[in-house]
Amino acid sequence: MKYYFLGFLFVFLDFNISLGYGGVVNLIPAFLGYAILFFANRRFGHENGHFRRLRLFTVIAFVLSAAEFTLNLIALPLPKVVELVISVIMTVVALYIAYEFAEGAKELERSLYKKLDADKISAAWIILSMTALLEFLVLYLPAVMLPCYLVHWLAVAWFESAIFHFERKLLGKE
């Protein structure tokens, strides 16, 4: 059941390579992460409102991120403001999906009467959201971008760790 872990890893980590003609390819494309999240939720998602919304938004995010991937690959010249708006939209959608997962995990924990540490996912989500906001606030300050990226990667690692332990506890392996 480590599908949620893998799906969110694909969604939140970016490893971009610039191509000679100006295009960019992401080695860990987010649209694959959204596909994994959709199938994980379809296969393992329990019926609560948060997981139903997660399912719907993963489909929307899949389409949007596949379009973004294609635009980056073909190097369509877009104004910087359009690129920024697309980036903000994709980040907000990803964070909303992570929020629905965190809230769905808490509801599942309550319904199963088991301690699955879903509160750790929520805490990690808050830090992840703050670091994403921080990245946009310092977008034009190159001197602080590297520390912001490092803090963001640590937040992603914390979020991923919380999901990993939640899934293991849900399956009774911890």
Side-chain angles (χ1 to χ4, degrees):
M1 184 164 156
K2 294 180 185 111
Y3 296 108
Y4 289 113
F5 172 83
L6 187 60
F8 280 116
L9 188 68
F10 273 57
V11 168
F12 286 116
L13 286 184
D14 290 328
F15 290 105
N16 296 326
I17 294 181
S18 296
L19 304 174
Y21 61 90
V24 176
V25 65
N26 187 350
L27 296 179
I28 304 177
F31 68 87
L32 290 180
Y34 291 120
I36 292 168
L37 287 173
F38 176 79
F39 288 112
N41 199 50
R42 188 170 170 199
R43 186 171 178 197
F44 300 109
H46 300 276
E47 288 304 313
N48 69 45
H50 297 289
F51 284 123
R52 282 192 294 275
R53 283 187 293 279
L54 186 145
R55 191 177 306 134
L56 169 67
F57 275 88
T58 54
V59 172
I60 294 167
F62 174 84
V63 172
L64 291 174
S65 63
E68 180 188 35
F69 181 84
T70 305
L71 286 174
N72 288 337
L73 192 61
I74 62 173
L76 186 65
L78 295 172
K80 289 291 183 192
V81 70
V82 173
E83 289 178 3
L84 180 63
V85 167
I86 290 171
S87 180
V88 168
I89 289 171
M90 293 308 301
T91 300
V92 168
V93 168
L95 289 172
Y96 179 74
I97 289 171
Y99 168 79
E100 288 297 344
F101 178 78
E103 292 300 309
K106 287 193 310 193
E107 192 171 312
L108 178 62
E109 181 180 62
R110 283 190 299 272
S111 70
L112 294 176
Y113 301 107
K114 289 173 76 175
K115 182 66 176 150
L116 302 172
D117 291 338
D119 53 331
K120 290 181 181 177
I121 298 172
S122 291
W125 177 84
I126 291 169
I127 301 300
L128 185 64
S129 300
M130 299 284 228
T131 61
L133 175 64
L134 182 64
E135 282 183 349
F136 285 114
L137 291 176
V138 299
L139 190 62
Y140 296 105
L141 300 172
V144 293
M145 281 306 291
L146 182 60
C148 286
Y149 281 136
L150 292 175
V151 169
H152 181 71
W153 289 338
L154 288 173
V156 169
W158 185 20
F159 184 73
E160 288 291 319
S161 173
I163 292 172
F164 179 80
H165 290 291
F166 171 80
E167 289 180 325
R168 288 187 54 86
K169 285 184 177 196
L170 185 62
L171 294 174
K173 292 183 179 180
E174 265 188 33

